[in-house]
Amino acid sequence: MTDASDVVVVGGGHAGLLTAIALSDLGLSVRVVEPMPENAIREAPPDGRALALLAGSIDHLTALGLWDDLAPFGAPIRRVEVLDVGSSSKVAYRENDAPRTTPFGQGFENRVLRRALLDLLLARTGRSVLLEDRITGIERQAAKIVVRTEQGRDLPAKLVIGADGRGSKLRTLARIGLQRWSYGHAALGLIVRHSTDNGGAVLERMRPGGPLATLPLRADRTGITWVETTERAQVLANGPPSVLLGELSDALDGVLGEMQLDGPVGMWPLSGQHAERYVAPRLALVGDAAHGVHPIHAQGFNMGVADVAALVGLIRRNLSDPGSPDVLKAYERMRRGPNTRVIWLTDGLARLFTNDLVPLARARGAALTILDRITPLRRLAIQRGMRT
Ligand SMILES: Cc1cc2nc3c(=O)[nH]c(=O)nc-3n(C[C@H](O)[C@H](O)[C@H](O)COP(=O)(O)OP(=O)(O)OC[C@H]3O[C@@H](n4cnc5c(N)ncnc54)[C@H](O)[C@@H]3O)c2cc1C
């Protein structure tokens, strides 16, 4: 048996690390159970994945007192342009459509953001917060829950938070059901260095095979998320880089100039999922453990940030018992509805933009043209779109 803590966080990915920092900042004692060794997180090799934190998440991170420490690791998004390749219609969101310092959000290399979160956690709490281990069981007792681990630890706490990703063991142990669906597509993730300044632009190209989006990481370094049918993604990922880069350059009309791959090309099969509940007695799910979405709208971790902000806000008002039924009920109410709407919207967009039916393609084109021309509508769309 290990000393009791207020909260055990299962999983030291982005959502788990963020949760642990925010709860420790409230003065609670926290343990994070994560099988990956600290050094392996810090020295993780590149995997091609980049991540956009949208303006709404920046607001949450600012309110949690973390944004100033994280901002230097990414690059601001200053312009967003969405082009429907089939109809050649586009909408270009201008900087003054979202009047703020970081207008639309910020791009990060995935592993760099995780490392920054890890360093923040260790700097604020010390190394003993992290347990290199994996959970295998839970046992509920009167006013606490005990987490069992592979290495034989028993960790009693008032609340256990599942941030252990899409295949969440904690969700299974709590017998929380899951809805799951597949898209038959895969996302390629790659980072390129290039000769022309990206100008802080996100360029989203809605192509017949699926969307392709750029994300600024630095003026001369850009993350690419490129969705294709699974077979085509495999061909591109395993073929010569010159073919991949040639096709990428064509898709972007050469706007980034000469490009070189900066690291390997990663590939992720695309599916969606939603936990049937986010809570059980003395237990809550956050991040991908609760929901997983198509990357078309860059919402995945942004939904996780909103989960963490909501849960931490509720716990702040109940510090003596962070796992009380009132906290958990309110958390479920605050997050499951909004996340359901984001999941439907993301799913609808993913299907709309990979459908070649002529009437749908026309409607898509018309919608983008209207958004581009009518300033108040365009502003409303981007300001809504930058929140989760
Ligand atoms: C190609 C692509 C592009 C994306 N782009 C964006 C984007 O632009 N913006 C955005 O917001 N999101 C994006 N996402 C989604 C985003 O990457 C995820 O939502 C986010 O990384 C999930 O973080 P998480 O911490 O919830 O889960 P994970 O990162 O999966 O972390 C789970 C952690 O739990 C640990 N774990 C697993 N099992 C156990 C166990 N039994 N015990 C203890 N620990 C365990 C794992 O080791 C891991 O560290 C993208 C995803 C993809 C694939």
Side-chain angles (χ1 to χ4, degrees):
M1 181 79 80
T2 314
D3 289 344
S5 29
D6 292 313
V7 181
V8 169
V9 178
V10 180
H14 295 74
L17 293 170
L18 177 61
T19 308
I21 299 168
L23 292 180
S24 313
D25 282 357
L26 295 183
L28 296 174
S29 56
V30 180
R31 287 293 176 86
V32 180
V33 181
E34 162 61 48
M36 202 164 164
E38 182 196 319
N39 273 348
I41 299 177
R42 184 163 292 108
E43 282 148 34
D47 65 357
R49 192 142 58 132
L51 184 150
L53 275 184
L54 305 178
S57 294
I58 295 179
D59 290 346
H60 286 310
L61 293 167
T62 304
L64 291 170
L66 303 176
W67 181 243
D68 288 347
D69 289 309
L70 296 175
F73 295 97
I77 301 170
R78 306 205 168 279
R79 196 160 69 78
V80 177
E81 182 190 286
V82 183
L83 170 74
D84 180 42
V85 173
S87 63
S88 302
S89 310
K90 75 172 172 186
V91 54
Y93 298 101
R94 295 75 164 161
E95 203 154 343
N96 61 1
D97 285 340
R100 14 181 328 138
T101 348
T102 313
F104 300 112
Q106 184 144 321
F108 290 89
E109 193 175 343
N110 214 55
R111 62 187 183 128
V112 170
L113 180 60
R114 188 177 182 200
R115 189 195 307 150
L117 287 166
L118 175 72
D119 287 341
L120 258 183
L121 175 67
L122 298 184
R124 292 182 180 207
T125 61
R127 292 214 138 59
S128 60
V129 70
L130 258 190
L131 301 175
E132 188 188 317
D133 209 337
R134 185 184 293 277
I135 72 148
T136 51
I138 47 172
E139 188 191 316
R140 290 201 184 81
Q141 297 174 357
K144 64 180 177 190
I145 184 163
V146 179
V147 171
R148 304 237 143 81
T149 74
E150 201 169 67
Q151 293 180 28
R153 292 182 170 102
D154 279 357
L155 304 167
K158 294 176 186 161
L159 171 67
V160 55
I161 298 179
D164 47 346
R166 284 187 174 225
S168 173
K169 176 80 175 173
L170 189 66
R171 189 182 61 224
T172 308
L173 291 168
R175 297 208 168 83
I176 295 178
L178 186 72
Q179 295 166 274
R180 204 161 183 278
W181 57 98
S182 165
Y183 289 105
H185 282 72
L188 298 175
L190 49 137
I191 292 172
V192 290
R193 272 183 286 131
H194 40 84
S195 56
T196 307
D197 189 333
N198 57 31
V202 162
L203 306 174
E204 188 147 22
R205 300 292 191 242
M206 301 305 190
R207 315 164 81 227
L212 182 157
T214 68
L215 185 63
L217 299 172
R218 220 173 48 200
D220 62 348
R221 204 161 169 266
T222 294
I224 310 287
T225 301
W226 180 349
V227 176
E228 285 283 353
T229 59
T230 308
E231 302 74 44
R232 176 117 182 84
Q234 264 156 358
V235 170
L236 285 165
N238 299 325
S242 56
V243 172
L244 181 89
L245 291 174
E247 193 161 322
L248 178 61
S249 182
D250 289 347
L252 297 173
D253 302 316
V255 290
L256 295 179
E258 288 291 314
M259 290 189 287
Q260 275 178 306
L261 273 180
D262 191 4
V265 178
M267 188 172 133
W268 292 267
L270 294 181
S271 61
Q273 61 179 56
H274 202 191
E276 280 166 6
R277 285 176 289 125
Y278 288 6
V279 301
R282 303 247 152 232
L283 182 152
L285 303 176
V286 296
D288 276 21
H291 41 71
V293 292
H294 189 288
I296 188 168
H297 201 17
Q299 290 287 343
F301 179 52
N302 286 285
M303 293 161 80
V305 173
D307 296 343
V308 176
L311 187 57
V312 169
L314 292 164
I315 291 176
R316 180 180 286 119
R317 286 182 251 136
N318 274 279
L319 285 174
S320 59
D321 189 359
S324 74
D326 287 351
V327 168
L328 296 176
K329 256 189 254 154
Y331 171 63
E332 170 100 22
R333 242 192 345 261
M334 276 178 81
R335 292 305 303 150
R336 201 164 184 286
N339 281 342
T340 304
R341 287 193 282 280
V342 175
I343 288 170
W344 279 103
L345 177 73
T346 308
D347 186 66
L349 285 176
R351 293 183 198 278
L352 178 66
F353 279 101
T354 47
N355 195 316
D356 289 334
L357 279 177
V358 174
L360 273 184
R362 286 210 183 116
R364 242 168 25 209
L368 290 183
T369 307
I370 289 169
L371 275 183
D372 198 52
R373 297 203 180 142
I374 305 183
T375 301
L377 262 187
R378 196 179 61 243
R379 290 191 172 156
L380 186 70
I382 193 71
Q383 287 170 19
R384 286 273 169 91
M386 292 296 127
R387 325 211 139 254
T388 38

